[in-house]
Amino acid sequence: MKKKMKYLGLLILFVVILFGCGNKDEKKEDKKDEPKELTMYIGVVEEQALKIAQEFEKDTGIKVNFVRMSGGEILSRIRAEKDAPKASIWYGGPSDSFVAAKKENLLQPYISGNAKIIPENMKDKEGYWTGIYNEILGFVLDDRWFTEKNIAKPKTWDDLLKPEYKGEIAVANPGASGTAFLFLSGFVQQRGEDKGLEYLAKLNENVKQYTKSGTAPAKSVILGESAIGITFIHNGLRYKEEGYDNVSVVVPEDGTWYSTAAVGIIAGAPELEAAKKFVDWALTKNAQEIGQKFKSYQFPTNPEANIPDIVKPYQNFKMNEYNLEWSGEHRAELVEKWDKMLKSK
């Protein structure tokens, strides 16, 4: 009996050791499979981009390598790398650029569990992109110029065509900037192709510079290089918060357009699992409130996230209609027509 008990004890010990080793190996394997790094192209201001990378790493242990570019530049980079993607995530930039990327098979779908809280009109139903914040297009003004010249500030889009603003407007190039493409597509959709391009041709007479980035016109204003910058209003509000008291912000009375900036996974993502984790994270309340700490005052898409106090007065603007799908599908064609119009002047 004692012998039997001894053998039984040894057998149990052997089984425990065997399964224990198996679990250790399994845990080791699990740990080995956990993603360690993520490379992404990001279209927000540098300080915000850096904080996003740091907070994501802190929450997940995944290190982020990022390249900061405008939305148009990111789309061009992804196109160029289509056969051998270098990055896995595209974060930031107007969603019509993502629509264009989806059409060109440059993105791959992923419906995050966190996406269910995001409004239907702020995400792709197939999961190719999901909205992370909304931005309102308007004017950033240098009050010093208007005071010195004793000239009235613009209140509408047609006001920008006044001869007194000749050589005083900064706006981005729609071929490089998603912000400027929203402006181009919005006008074509609202007024028709001929009249929309005619307006932009007239505006060109007052434009001092076409910048590469959609944020640059606001910087041009604070430096006194231009009196008017056409850009998202939060770019101007950031400078006001930084102490530039010469800056004011106007949402056009005749209506404007807003853009939903998005996040999406690049087709053929080399770090797919890390990319999925990032999309999950980017849709959370905490992730969507990071920009506010760096004076990036957008409207978050997650309804649980706080809206910055400084943009609350601009919530009830007159919104012009905007067909996002049409815009994304006609992006290349519209940019080409705008470019030809400019070269013919």
Side-chain angles (χ1 to χ4, degrees), residues 119-133:
E120 291 299 318
N121 64 331
M122 296 177 191
K123 61 189 176 186
D124 178 69
K125 63 182 180 182
E126 295 174 291
Y128 282 88
W129 58 268
T130 311
I132 46 177
Y133 56 81

Side-chain angles (χ1 to χ4, degrees), residues 19 21 34 56 64 70 72 85 87 117 122 137 250 266 272 279 297 323:
F19 277 92
C21 289
E34 284 177 6
F56 179 66
V64 173
S70 68
I117 200 169
M122 296 177 191
L137 196 63
V250 172
I266 297 167
L272 183 57
V279 172
Y297 298 117
N323 186 323

Side-chain angles (χ1 to χ4, degrees), residues 232-290:
F232 290 127
I233 64 167
H234 69 82
N235 293 322
L237 294 173
R238 180 172 72 251
Y239 286 122
K240 279 180 72 71
E241 282 288 285
E242 288 178 1
Y244 291 91
D245 53 11
N246 63 301
V247 173
S248 61
V249 168
V250 172
V251 176
E253 291 176 356
D254 48 344
T256 190
W257 301 272
Y258 82 91
S259 169
T260 298
V263 63
I265 298 177
I266 297 167
E271 307 137 328
L272 183 57
E273 290 311 308
K276 289 178 179 179
K277 285 178 180 288
F278 182 83
V279 172
D280 294 341
W281 180 86
L283 304 181
T284 63
K285 174 183 183 295
N286 290 342
Q288 292 199 8
E289 290 177 355
I290 287 174

Side-chain angles (χ1 to χ4, degrees), residues 13 40 62 73 76 82 84 90 93 99 104 113 129 165 188 201 252 268 275 280 292 294 335 345:
L13 182 62
M40 67 180 181
I62 300 170
E73 288 176 306
S76 296
K82 181 178 180 180
W90 176 1
V99 172
E104 296 177 39
W129 58 268
Y165 299 147
V188 168
D280 294 341
Q292 301 171 28
F294 295 89
V335 170
K345 297 299 169 186

Side-chain angles (χ1 to χ4, degrees), residues 53-324:
Q54 291 171 342
E55 291 298 309
F56 179 66
E57 182 176 359
K58 190 170 79 175
D59 290 347
T60 64
I62 300 170
K63 182 184 176 184
V64 173
N65 305 301
F66 70 87
V67 180
R68 195 270 165 207
M69 293 180 281
S70 68
E73 288 176 306
I74 294 173
L75 180 56
S76 296
R77 176 75 69 90
I78 295 172
R79 278 183 184 134
E81 297 173 351
K82 181 178 180 180
D83 295 331
K86 303 291 190 298
S88 299
I89 281 285
W90 176 1
Y91 179 95
S95 49
D96 45 19
S97 299
F98 285 77
V99 172
K102 174 187 173 182
K103 185 185 175 188
E104 296 177 39
N105 299 315
L106 300 175
L107 301 175
Q108 63 185 69
Y110 171 62
I111 299 177
S112 166
N114 293 336
K116 61 180 179 292
I117 200 169
I118 308 299
E120 291 299 318
N121 64 331
M122 296 177 191
K123 61 189 176 186
D124 178 69
K125 63 182 180 182
E126 295 174 291
Y128 282 88
W129 58 268
T130 311
I132 46 177
Y133 56 81
N134 295 313
E135 310 169 288
I136 302 170
L137 196 63
F139 315 145
V140 177
L141 308 177
D142 181 358
D143 291 345
R144 295 168 301 192
W145 187 88
F146 291 94
T147 302
E148 287 167 10
K149 303 288 184 183
N150 194 27
I151 291 174
K153 296 177 182 178
K155 294 181 180 178
T156 67
W157 291 108
D158 284 325
D159 282 348
L160 296 183
L161 304 182
K162 290 179 178 179
E164 52 261 47
Y165 299 147
K166 188 174 181 66
E168 291 297 336
I169 297 176
V171 61
N173 182 318
S177 161
T179 309
F181 180 73
L182 173 71
F183 179 47
L184 165 61
S185 183
F187 261 94
V188 168
Q189 288 186 48
Q190 185 190 54
R191 302 190 181 192
E193 186 177 301
D194 291 341
K195 288 188 177 178
L197 289 173
E198 183 184 328
Y199 170 89
L200 293 167
K202 288 178 181 176
L203 180 72
N204 180 60
E205 296 173 18
N206 287 351
V207 171
K208 180 177 185 176
Q209 58 178 324
Y210 289 99
T211 63
K212 189 194 282 189
S213 160
T215 61
K219 191 167 186 180
S220 179
V221 166
I222 66 153
L223 294 176
E225 296 172 350
S226 307
I228 303 167
I230 301 172
T231 184
F232 290 127
I233 64 167
H234 69 82
N235 293 322
L237 294 173
R238 180 172 72 251
Y239 286 122
K240 279 180 72 71
E241 282 288 285
E242 288 178 1
Y244 291 91
D245 53 11
N246 63 301
V247 173
S248 61
V249 168
V250 172
V251 176
E253 291 176 356
D254 48 344
T256 190
W257 301 272
Y258 82 91
S259 169
T260 298
V263 63
I265 298 177
I266 297 167
E271 307 137 328
L272 183 57
E273 290 311 308
K276 289 178 179 179
K277 285 178 180 288
F278 182 83
V279 172
D280 294 341
W281 180 86
L283 304 181
T284 63
K285 174 183 183 295
N286 290 342
Q288 292 199 8
E289 290 177 355
I290 287 174
Q292 301 171 28
K293 298 170 187 174
F294 295 89
K295 302 180 177 66
S296 289
Y297 298 117
Q298 302 105 335
F299 294 90
T301 59
N302 184 324
E304 294 176 357
N306 294 318
I307 296 173
D309 289 338
I310 196 169
V311 296
K312 284 180 180 176
Y314 302 98
Q315 285 184 99
N316 300 316
F317 64 94
K318 181 184 175 184
M319 185 172 68
N320 294 330
E321 286 187 23
Y322 190 78
N323 186 323
L324 179 64

